[in-house]
């Protein structure tokens, strides 16, 4: 289906459960604007009608059905509930009891979703393939007799020789920059360009950055005096990070929108065994993100391993060039599938209006006492008083409805959840700098020190399918609701344990090293009698933390954000990584011998306290999970859709009424 103006295109199975009722008893084709409002689920096969007949007075508790060509109002409560629970395409929605008791299963995942995941695979190959060799490129000196940085089987690759502190600082800056840029990429996508166009702009920016980084690794540039290679390298990092950020914040919501567009709400299915189950779109989106994360780690694993050997045996120029070539597959796939993707147009004016809601809610409530101000923001009526229906004299910028205020409230809750994520990311950030340096002080047995951290993506590739196919379904069968808040709390716990394991390893390195607590520059004998593979528990625990918290964070950002702010809320999720990198800069003075045990101990304690604080703060959100996931669709007029046909507005309002009734029957509507 396609509509005129800003196009919304769909692929895959026919839509289910989100078509709107008509305004009269006669079915007529929808105008283009109304089709856009319904998109991408407007292929209506069966319609329920609201009571608008002039002969039958409207009844808020009635629905109508056709008998002998005439609309007849239904007033029996049982029949009303039965009619409301039957979708326009014949699908069956669950009752309140069924929501509480029936087992939930995933829906069918269309092949077009995997093409988006493949683009992310290519981008992650490019990102991690390049970043993986940054530490050696910056920290280690050029090996004797080498012009490219290669060192053979038993040598240590290097180029600039600036030391561990410099490499840690620059890699943390790269991480900070790459995760700051999603905020700008999200603003451009939600307000002006849309996700698809922003992704293609990101590809151009990142490609330019890749080219500059390749120039920095050319032998003649590496050997230039005064570390001249740093100039193109740092400029390349800036463009590289911009492209990564713009890409990252838009690709993850784009993949979930391909499913949500045709499966907007939970339905009841009967399996071949006779068991009645709920086909849950939220569960399906969770599984989509798990598989999406699987693709991410296929790309990162192959990129990291292959580029480490390219660096070791050929040189840094090759380890920077091959990821660039892989990255250029992304625009090819995007172009090929451009007419198959659901591409929701931007509405514009999103950020300013959402901030206006908060300003209105706090009008007359600001206090010099921050505790009082916080209590006012957390009060029950904070969002209610900002709804258009409660404002007597609406300001000109209030071009939305009450439902959009509820969506902003839900998105704000998600953003507050992400405020704890900088603490969660602290253990993960050790993966690509300090743990690489720790590996260099142990027995490598010919294995490059910067290949060992591939244990993390390897563990993810092993355990994601196990969790997807066995662990989560087994937990669901017990009746225990493993909500996102519980998963994220578990992620904090796994991250803490990973840092405890790293602390123990570092302690024994200091104990067994011939040079005591200065093993990194030890020339007095062999390294400690410790295989590098004893780092395995730390990497596996970090992988478990990612399954529990990283994947769930992406899912939470998508399902809780307003539909026209998904890139922005996803950007807040990724921005937590930037804040974490900034916090980690404060620990750089500890990133050297003999202070590394203290470094890992402090991070362990912070991660533990962060997990406890997270659960204490957000444990109450578990009870709201179902209601937050089924808010009615909203009406929003921004700078990009201000001229929308009034008929489209009517369609949205009718759909909201249908959804309100459904939520009432399911026990999800608050009174």
């Amino acid at each position: 289906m396609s509509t005129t103006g800003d196009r919304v295109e769909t692929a895959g199975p026919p839509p289910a459960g989100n078509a709107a009722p008509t305004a009269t008893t006669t079915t007529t084709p929808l105008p283009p604007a109304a089709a856009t409002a319904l998109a991408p689920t407007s292929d209506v096969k069966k319609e329920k009608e609201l009571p608008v007949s002039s002969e039958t007075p409207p009844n808020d508790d009635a629905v109508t059905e056709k008998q002998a060509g005439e609309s007849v109002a239904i007033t029996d409560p049982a029949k009303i509930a039965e009619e409301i629970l039957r979708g326009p395409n014949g699908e069956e929605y669950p009752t309140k009891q069924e929501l509480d008791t029936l087992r939930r299963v995933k829906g069918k995942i269309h092949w077009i979703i995997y093409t988006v995941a493949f683009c992310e695979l290519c981008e992650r190959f490019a990102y991690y393939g390049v970043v993986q060799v940054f530490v050696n490129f910056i920290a280690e000196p050029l090996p004797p007799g080498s012009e490219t940085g290669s060192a053979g089987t038993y040598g240590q690759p290097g180029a600039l020789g600036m030391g561990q502190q410099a490499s840690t600082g620059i890699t943390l800056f790269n991480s900070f920059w790459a995760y700051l840029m999603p905020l700008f990429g999200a603003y451009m996508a939600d307000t002006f360009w849309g996700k698809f166009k922003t992704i293609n702009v990101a590809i151009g920016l990142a490609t330019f950055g890749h080219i500059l980084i390749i120039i920095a690794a050319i032998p003649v540039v590496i050997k230039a005096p005064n570390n001249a290679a740093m100039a193109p390298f740092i400029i390349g990092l800036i463009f590289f990070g911009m492209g990564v950020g713009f890409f990252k914040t838009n690709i993850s919501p784009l993949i979930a929108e391909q499913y949500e567009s045709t499966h907007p709400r939970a339905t009841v299915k009967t399996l071949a065994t006779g068991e009645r189950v709920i086909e849950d779109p939220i569960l399906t989106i969770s599984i989509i993100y798990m598989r999406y994360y699987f693709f991410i780690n296929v790309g990162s694993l192959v990129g990291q391993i292959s580029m480490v050997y390219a660096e070791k045996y050929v040189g840094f120029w090759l380890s920077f060039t091959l990821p660039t070539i892989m990255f250029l597959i992304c625009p090819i796939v995007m172009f090929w599938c451009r007419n198959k993707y659901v591409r929701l147009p931007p509405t514009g004016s999103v950020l300013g209006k959402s901030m206006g809601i908060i300003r209105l809610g706090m009008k007359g409530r600001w206090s010099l006492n921050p505790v009082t101000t916080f209590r006012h923001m957390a009060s029950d009526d904070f969002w209610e008083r900002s709804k258009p229906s409660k404002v007597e004299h609406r300001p000109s910028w209030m071009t939305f409805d009450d439902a959009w205020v509820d969506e902003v409230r839900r998105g704000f809750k998600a953003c507050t959840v992400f405020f704890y994520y900088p603490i969660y990311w602290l253990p993960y950030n050790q993966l690509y700098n300090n743990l690489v340096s720790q590996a260099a002080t142990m027995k490598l047995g010919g294995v490059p020190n910067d290949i060992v951290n591939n244990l993390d993506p390897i563990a993810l590739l092993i355990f994601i399918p196990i969790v997807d196919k066995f662990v989560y379904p087994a937990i669901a069968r017990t009746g225990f609701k493993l909500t996102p808040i519980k998963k994220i709390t578990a992620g904090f716990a796994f991250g803490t344990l990973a840092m405890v394991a790293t602390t123990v390893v570092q302690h024994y390195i200091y104990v067994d090293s011939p040079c005591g607590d200065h093993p990194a520059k030890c020339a007095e004998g062999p390294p400690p009698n410790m295989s590098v593979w004893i780092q395995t528990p730390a990497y596996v625990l970090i992988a478990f933390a990612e399954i529990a918290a990283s994947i769930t964070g992406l899912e939470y950002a998508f399902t809780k954000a307003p539909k026209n702010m998904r890139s922005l809320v996803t950007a807040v999720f990724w921005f937590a990584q930037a804040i974490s990198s900034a916090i980690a800069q404060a620990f750089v003075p500890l990133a050297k011998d003999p202070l590394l045990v203290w470094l890992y101990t402090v991070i362990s304690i912070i991660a533990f306290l962060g997990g406890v604080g997270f659960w204490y703060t957000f444990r109450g959100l578990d009870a709201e999970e179902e209601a937050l996931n089924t808010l009615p669709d909203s009406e929003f007029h921004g700078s990009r859709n201000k001229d929308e046909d009034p008929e489209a507005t009517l369609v949205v309002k009718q759909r909201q009424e249908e959804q309100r009734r459904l939520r009432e029957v399911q026990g999800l509507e608050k009174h």
Side-chain angles (χ1 to χ4, degrees):
M1 180 201 75
S2 64
T3 66
T4 59
D6 288 326
R7 292 195 309 174
V8 179
E9 301 169 349
T10 64
N18 201 27
T22 56
T24 66
T25 57
T26 301
T27 303
T28 58
L30 291 173
T36 301
L38 281 170
T41 55
S42 59
D43 297 324
V44 180
K45 295 180 182 177
K46 178 180 178 181
E47 297 179 344
K48 292 186 293 183
E49 300 174 352
L50 299 179
V52 295
S53 170
S54 59
E55 298 177 1
T56 305
N59 180 348
D60 287 342
D61 297 322
V63 296
T64 63
E65 65 177 0
K66 287 189 176 181
Q67 294 182 4
E70 296 182 359
S71 294
V72 179
I74 303 174
T75 57
D76 180 66
K79 289 187 176 181
I80 289 175
E82 181 181 347
E83 185 69 16
I84 290 173
L85 289 170
R86 187 171 64 249
N89 297 321
E91 63 273 17
E92 180 184 354
Y93 301 135
T95 64
K96 183 180 185 304
Q97 181 181 9
E98 288 170 335
L99 283 173
D100 293 334
T101 59
L102 292 187
R103 183 165 67 91
R104 301 186 179 228
V105 299
K106 71 175 182 66
K108 183 179 180 181
I109 299 175
H110 195 261
W111 68 267
I112 198 69
I113 290 173
Y114 293 105
T115 66
V116 182
F118 179 74
C119 286
E120 177 68 343
L121 181 155
C122 296
E123 190 272 340
R124 291 292 87 184
F125 179 104
Y127 178 81
Y128 283 106
V130 168
V131 169
Q132 179 70 10
V133 299
F134 276 177
V135 171
N136 284 345
F137 182 78
I138 299 166
E140 303 296 336
L142 198 65
S146 175
E147 295 183 346
T148 63
S150 63
T153 302
Y154 295 101
Q156 176 62 53
L160 304 183
M162 297 175 66
Q164 181 175 346
Q165 278 189 291
S167 69
T168 299
I170 292 173
T171 54
L172 285 174
F173 164 77
N174 175 64
S175 180
F176 172 81
W177 181 247
Y179 291 105
L180 172 66
M181 285 297 101
L183 291 174
F184 296 94
Y187 176 76
M188 298 305 295
D190 287 340
T191 306
F192 301 109
W193 295 341
K195 298 178 188 68
F196 186 81
K197 182 176 180 179
T198 306
I199 288 170
N200 284 281
V201 171
I203 292 171
L205 290 169
T207 301
F208 183 65
H210 274 287
I211 292 170
L212 290 177
I213 293 171
I214 293 170
I215 292 173
I218 296 173
V220 66
V221 179
I222 287 179
K223 294 192 302 180
N226 302 318
N227 281 334
M230 283 303 294
F233 184 76
I234 294 298
I235 296 172
L237 279 187
I238 292 172
F239 282 95
F240 175 68
M242 289 175 65
V244 168
F246 279 39
F247 190 96
K248 200 173 211 29
T249 193
N250 289 291
I251 197 75
S252 59
L254 181 70
I255 193 171
E257 284 177 349
Q258 309 310 306
Y259 180 82
E260 184 207 45
S261 63
T262 54
H263 302 80
R265 63 179 71 148
T267 57
V268 176
K269 305 287 184 183
T270 302
L271 302 181
T273 60
E275 181 189 6
R276 284 171 60 81
V277 296
I278 294 176
E279 189 174 283
D280 188 352
I282 301 299
L283 173 62
T284 309
I285 288 171
S286 176
I287 290 171
I288 286 171
Y289 276 123
M290 289 191 71
R291 296 180 183 181
Y292 169 76
Y293 213 75
F294 184 89
F295 274 73
I296 286 174
N297 283 278
V298 169
S300 65
L301 177 65
V302 177
Q304 289 176 164
I305 292 178
S306 57
M307 293 313 102
V308 164
Y309 282 98
E311 155 212 51
K312 193 171 185 64
Y313 292 104
V314 180
F316 288 101
W317 69 267
L318 183 63
S319 59
F320 292 155
T321 300
L322 292 179
T324 306
I325 295 172
M326 185 70 174
F327 185 57
L328 292 176
I329 297 176
C330 289
I332 297 173
V333 176
M334 284 282 162
F335 180 80
W336 176 57
C337 296
R338 68 192 186 282
N339 293 325
K340 297 179 176 65
Y341 291 140
V342 172
R343 293 187 282 166
L344 302 183
T347 57
S349 313
V350 175
L351 184 59
K353 292 180 189 293
S354 61
M355 291 299 101
I357 290 173
I358 295 174
R359 287 196 304 270
L360 190 60
M362 286 301 296
K363 187 176 181 180
R365 292 186 163 194
W366 295 103
S367 172
L368 294 176
N369 185 336
V371 175
T372 302
T373 298
F374 177 79
R375 285 176 178 171
H376 286 162
M377 294 187 72
S379 64
D380 293 337
D381 67 337
F382 175 79
W383 298 99
E384 287 297 318
R385 68 200 306 261
S386 300
K387 290 183 176 180
S389 63
K390 303 295 177 64
V391 178
E392 185 175 354
H393 302 289
R394 298 183 189 178
S396 59
W397 54 266
M398 190 172 278
T399 57
F400 47 82
D401 58 2
D402 289 3
W404 196 70
V405 177
D406 287 332
E407 288 187 0
V408 172
R409 170 183 174 270
R410 182 180 65 183
F412 187 79
K413 284 179 176 289
C415 290
T416 57
V417 166
F418 299 150
F419 285 166
Y420 273 85
Y421 264 71
I423 299 174
Y424 159 75
W425 288 117
L426 279 176
Y428 178 85
N429 283 342
Q430 308 309 307
L431 234 67
Y432 298 103
N433 43 60
N434 289 318
L435 284 180
V436 174
S437 298
Q438 183 188 72
T441 64
M442 293 186 282
K443 284 188 173 181
L444 294 170
V447 176
N449 69 308
D450 49 1
I451 205 171
V452 181
N453 60 7
N454 285 285
L455 287 169
D456 172 60
I458 288 172
L460 286 165
L461 295 184
I462 293 171
F463 289 108
I464 283 177
I466 293 174
V467 172
D468 178 7
K469 296 291 186 181
F470 302 105
V471 177
Y472 283 170
I475 292 174
R477 289 189 185 94
T478 67
F480 179 77
K481 291 186 177 180
L482 189 59
T483 61
I485 299 301
K486 293 187 180 76
K487 292 180 186 178
I488 296 169
T489 303
F492 275 93
F494 285 124
T496 300
L497 292 174
M499 285 298 97
V500 170
T502 303
T503 304
V504 172
V505 170
Q506 189 64 47
H507 169 74
Y508 281 102
I509 288 174
Y510 284 166
V511 169
D512 292 347
S513 173
C515 299
D517 54 10
H518 286 78
K521 297 183 179 180
C522 186
E524 298 179 6
N529 188 26
M530 300 170 64
S531 169
V532 71
W533 301 112
I534 65 172
Q535 287 186 319
T536 300
Y539 285 114
V540 172
L541 286 166
I542 287 176
F544 286 153
E546 290 180 75
I547 293 173
S550 299
I551 298 174
T552 305
L554 287 170
E555 168 201 338
Y556 207 73
F558 180 84
T559 57
K560 302 302 182 288
K563 290 185 178 180
N564 54 355
M565 294 181 69
R566 280 172 174 163
S567 291
L568 185 61
V569 176
T570 302
V572 173
F573 168 76
W574 289 120
F575 182 64
Q577 173 73 294
I579 297 298
S580 184
S581 296
I583 294 171
Q585 289 282 1
F587 296 108
V588 170
L590 294 178
K592 61 181 180 180
D593 295 326
L595 304 175
L596 290 169
V597 169
W598 283 105
L599 171 67
Y600 302 132
T601 300
V602 169
I603 293 176
S604 300
I605 294 171
I606 292 174
F608 172 76
L609 294 177
V612 172
F614 178 85
W615 173 250
Y616 179 80
T617 304
F618 298 113
R619 65 192 188 281
L621 278 181
D622 283 4
E624 290 189 64
E625 183 66 21
E626 193 77 55
L628 290 174
N629 289 335
T630 57
L631 292 180
D633 291 335
S634 64
E635 177 192 2
F636 180 97
H637 294 285
S639 59
R640 307 287 290 188
N641 68 340
K642 59 185 178 182
D643 298 324
E644 190 174 73
D645 193 297
E647 290 187 61
T649 300
L650 177 62
V651 169
V652 172
K653 290 184 180 298
Q654 291 169 336
R655 186 166 61 190
Q656 288 174 344
E657 175 63 17
E658 184 182 65
Q659 292 169 345
R660 182 190 66 80
R661 293 182 177 210
L662 178 61
R663 282 167 56 86
E664 283 184 346
V665 171
Q666 294 177 330
L668 302 174
E669 187 75 13
K670 291 184 178 180
H671 296 281

